[in-house]
Amino acid sequence: MRGVVFDGKQAEVVDDLEIRAPGPGEVLVTVGAAGLCHSDLSVIDGTIPFPVPVVLGHEGAGVVEAVGAGVTHVAPGDHVALSTIANCGTCGECHRGRPTMCRRAIGMPDQPFSRGGTPVYQFAANSAFAERTVVKAVQAVKIPDDIPLTSAALIGCAVVTGVGAVLNRARVGRGDTVVVIGAGGIGLNVLQGARIAGAATIVAVDANPEKEAVARRFGATHFLSSTEGVRDILPPGADHAFECVGRVELVREAVDLLDRHGQAVLLGMPTATAEASFVVSSMFLDKSILGCRYGSSRPQRDFALYADLYRTGHLLLDELVTATYALEDFDKAVADAGAGRVARGVLTF
């Protein structure tokens, strides 16, 4: 079986992967498409520490090939989008409706793959850069067959992270003002989440002027190449500022751009030990800095919602896919993503 394996030094396409059969409560999925996210690149460059060897990929969609004992909500032949949240469903956080906080789903990677008898780790409980993957049943979310898998794959990371941050974490309201720093895959979904929520003013900020057209298509009412002009558009500041790049200096800028009672939501991924600073006295104007894991989502609920919004024309998915690549062209996909040439590049199988 083909897949992309990172051995701690380089990521390469291999053809000798093996995968075990699904056990109780698991689903074997034939992957049809997988988006290349910067989190995958962050494993390769060391920003996200992860044990190796590991099969990369975490933003995928495919067709159910087989199910283990006890799985009833999907069956062979169903189309599914894959979640990265392998939550247990029984702990206190799960019962509070916060599966992204499940302590049993973080920091315990499985090894369903092998090469030559050597176990290989699964990235983000998913590993979508393989022709087949095994996930927990809760991670396989049934979607309508008429959604292209190349588009459906993006629901599982870029969409749920960006749109979910707006609707679930920040709870942007109709008429609110929003600043989005970074118009990449996550930022574009924050933009369209703000549009769907009914925000009145949505300012996209990105150093690449070529991103203006796509940012406006997804919902931006204004586009700037730096945050310096935000106060000209929003003199009091913004109700919500989303940092989607992962640079600590931009975290500070997001906080400084807030109006009273504003919220800065951190979505970008800096290095694990990175620290950011802000003026403490400014926080006494009821400002907030919010972390957000996976859009504070409930995937089995939210994926279905996003599929419906796509089918009614409110959520853009096809427009996110800038380019598709055969698995063998993984290096080109990485180069294009690293250079910012794509909103999302998608590997197809």
Side-chain angles (χ1 to χ4, degrees):
M1 180 179 76
R2 295 178 305 153
V4 178
V5 176
F6 177 61
D7 64 3
K9 296 180 179 179
Q10 64 177 358
E12 63 175 336
V13 179
V14 303
D15 60 7
D16 58 350
L17 272 178
E18 296 181 355
I19 191 166
R20 62 171 172 78
E26 293 182 332
V27 178
L28 175 66
V29 177
T30 300
V31 179
L36 177 60
C37 173
H38 277 275
S39 292
D40 300 302
L41 303 182
S42 294
V43 174
I44 296 172
D45 68 20
T47 301
I48 297 178
F50 205 88
V52 295
V54 57
V55 178
L56 296 177
H58 64 284
E59 185 180 70
V63 180
V64 174
E65 182 174 323
V67 300
V71 178
T72 59
H73 75 290
V74 293
D78 286 345
H79 287 210
V80 292
L82 300 178
S83 163
T84 69
I85 303 300
N87 61 295
C88 70
T90 60
C91 69
E93 296 293 350
C94 287
H95 277 293
R96 293 184 183 96
R98 299 196 294 247
T100 59
M101 295 295 105
C102 175
R103 286 178 171 81
R104 299 181 188 178
I106 302 174
M108 293 176 286
D110 196 6
Q111 293 176 306
F113 303 97
S114 63
R115 291 185 71 195
T118 300
V120 179
Y121 284 101
Q122 184 174 43
F123 178 54
N126 190 310
S127 288
F129 293 168
E131 292 182 302
R132 293 179 184 83
T133 191
V134 169
V135 297
K136 284 190 175 182
V138 72
Q139 296 176 255
V141 184
K142 187 175 180 179
I143 57 172
D145 293 357
D146 59 357
I147 301 180
L149 291 178
T150 50
S151 297
L154 306 187
I155 293 176
C157 182
V159 173
V160 72
T161 300
V163 178
V166 173
L167 302 183
N168 300 327
R169 187 68 168 124
R171 298 184 182 274
V172 172
R174 185 167 297 278
D176 285 358
T177 58
V178 173
V179 174
V180 181
I181 302 174
I186 300 300
L188 290 176
N189 280 288
V190 174
L191 290 171
Q192 70 171 335
R195 169 178 52 78
I196 291 168
T201 303
I202 306 171
V203 182
V205 180
D206 198 288
N208 184 354
E210 294 182 2
K211 292 186 177 181
E212 178 172 1
V214 68
R216 289 185 180 276
R217 186 172 191 181
F218 275 75
T221 59
H222 300 75
F223 183 91
L224 299 171
S225 58
S226 76
T227 58
E228 293 181 2
V230 170
R231 290 284 181 172
D232 294 330
I233 300 167
L234 301 171
D239 295 317
H240 313 273
F242 295 82
E243 200 285 326
C244 305
V245 180
R247 288 168 46 189
V248 293
E249 65 271 24
L250 296 179
V251 171
R252 170 62 182 266
E253 291 183 24
V255 174
D256 290 345
L257 289 172
L258 296 176
D259 193 1
R260 299 181 180 192
H261 208 273
Q263 300 179 125
V265 184
L266 311 186
L267 299 178
M269 179 62 72
T271 60
T273 58
E275 298 182 0
S277 64
F278 57 91
V279 178
V280 176
S281 61
S282 72
M283 306 306 291
F284 293 98
L285 294 173
D286 281 3
K287 296 180 182 182
S288 303
I289 301 173
L290 305 179
C292 184
R293 173 175 166 80
Y294 206 58
S296 301
S297 66
R298 284 183 272 176
Q300 288 286 341
R301 176 200 68 177
D302 291 350
F303 284 23
L305 169 64
Y306 300 148
D308 286 343
L309 288 172
Y310 167 78
R311 297 177 86 197
T312 58
H314 294 89
L315 183 78
L316 304 180
L317 290 180
D318 304 338
E319 294 82 357
L320 282 168
V321 183
T322 310
T324 58
Y325 306 84
L327 186 62
E328 290 73 18
D329 293 327
F330 176 73
D331 288 342
K332 177 172 172 43
V334 168
D336 287 348
R341 289 190 285 266
V342 294
R344 254 318 185 257
V346 177
L347 300 176
T348 58
F349 296 82

